Amino acid sequence: MNENKTNPLLCDPVNGMCEMPADETSNEKTVIKTENKPVKIIYYTDPICSSCWGIEPQLRKLKLEYGDYFEIDYRMGGLLPDWSYNSGGISKPSDVAHHWDEASLHYEMPIDGDVWLEDPLDSSYPSCIAMKAAQMQDKQKAIHFMRILREKLYLEKKNIAKWENIAEAAKLADLDTEKLKKDFEIDAVKLFRNDLNMAKNLNVRGFPTFYFSDGNNNQLTVYGSKPYASYENALLVLVPDAKKKKFENKNTLSLFEVYPTLAPKEYAVIQDISVKDAEIILEELLRKGKLDKKTIKNGSLYSIK
């Protein structure tokens, strides 16, 4: 019997992390250089990481309030190489379904775990490599692309290891799908390997992991899904005089001009209101015909019409 209890798909809601099995790590200190802003954040994630989906509200809020002070370098972690794992009670795709439904309730973000029963993924590597290919075209579009991939996975139960689903997401993100396919097959694979190697150097042990650096060897790490204050405080340690930018609400739809799709939890965290109050506002906008709504068994996602 395998005594290793670490399974990458058994994300722990208590520490808010999808942990990888123990691997070789490096004692080498990785220097994180800043570029255009005072702080560089290296964010290790994976398109199929449920804990990473769980921190979308905090991450979106951080970008709105302190985006002038940091830039994010999205790195792919390769959460599920294949199904050779047999630990932590998960040995086959169907074992993940119930766990994802529980994660959805914990994070209050919409996730339908039935994808693991209906069209299970055999690996997260294709979506990670696709993300690196998207970054080769446009880093901002790549972020939007990963959001679309996640919505397809968590709400539409689409297997995002399949090329047709990756290509559909690429079109919606306004990426060149032919170039994406070409880069996906060679150059993006190399970039993904670089991310995996860097993860070893940084001793990444799970996702999400954030490395905050001011470029002067001052680094802070935030592991896992944490309350918003944890990410805000890490930034303020490195930039004590950072001024919070309050999001200007011209109207109740303003936030959708920045983020075209929002779950009630995201709307609530960004606006500093309860999820219940967010749902009331969003439902009123829906009733007035201003928004569309996608509902699954574990929640909803609203989008601008």
Side-chain angles (χ1 to χ4, degrees), residues 109-136:
M109 287 288 284
I111 304 175
D112 191 334
D114 287 354
V115 64
W116 296 103
L117 304 175
E118 298 171 14
D119 192 4
L121 292 77
D122 54 10
S123 172
S124 72
Y125 277 31
S127 57
C128 286
I129 294 166
M131 181 61 180
K132 300 315 292 183
Q135 287 176 335
M136 290 172 68

Side-chain angles (χ1 to χ4, degrees), residues 4 36 47 55 80 87 123-124 182 207 216 220 244 257 275:
N4 178 12
N36 306 312
I55 62 150
L80 180 69
S87 59
S123 172
S124 72
K182 184 180 174 186
F207 317 105
N216 295 316
L220 289 166
K244 181 189 293 189
E257 293 170 10
V275 174

Side-chain angles (χ1 to χ4, degrees), residues 11-55:
C11 302
D12 186 345
V14 177
N15 67 16
M17 178 166 278
C18 300
E19 291 190 76
M20 295 291 285
D23 198 356
E24 290 178 31
T25 55
S26 168
N27 294 321
E28 199 179 305
K29 176 78 171 173
T30 300
V31 176
I32 300 171
K33 294 179 181 177
T34 56
E35 291 164 38
N36 306 312
K37 296 182 181 180
V39 170
K40 165 76 76 68
I41 299 174
I42 290 182
Y43 172 26
Y44 262 93
T45 184
D46 188 291
I48 77 163
C49 166
S50 58
S51 293
C52 298
W53 180 240
I55 62 150

Side-chain angles (χ1 to χ4, degrees), residues 29 43 71 78 130 143 152 159 166 188 190 231-232 243 260 270 273 299 305:
K29 176 78 171 173
Y43 172 26
E71 53 197 338
I143 296 167
K152 286 189 170 298
N159 181 337
I166 290 171
K190 296 174 186 172
Y231 307 101
E232 180 182 36
K243 299 287 186 294
I270 292 169
I273 58 176
K305 276 201 167 182

Side-chain angles (χ1 to χ4, degrees), residues 26 151 276:
S26 168
E151 289 178 7
K276 188 175 179 182

Side-chain angles (χ1 to χ4, degrees), residues 86-104:
N86 183 10
S87 59
I90 289 180
S91 59
K92 57 188 183 298
S94 59
D95 294 335
V96 186
H98 179 64
H99 170 65
W100 267 24
D101 289 341
E102 288 181 335
S104 179

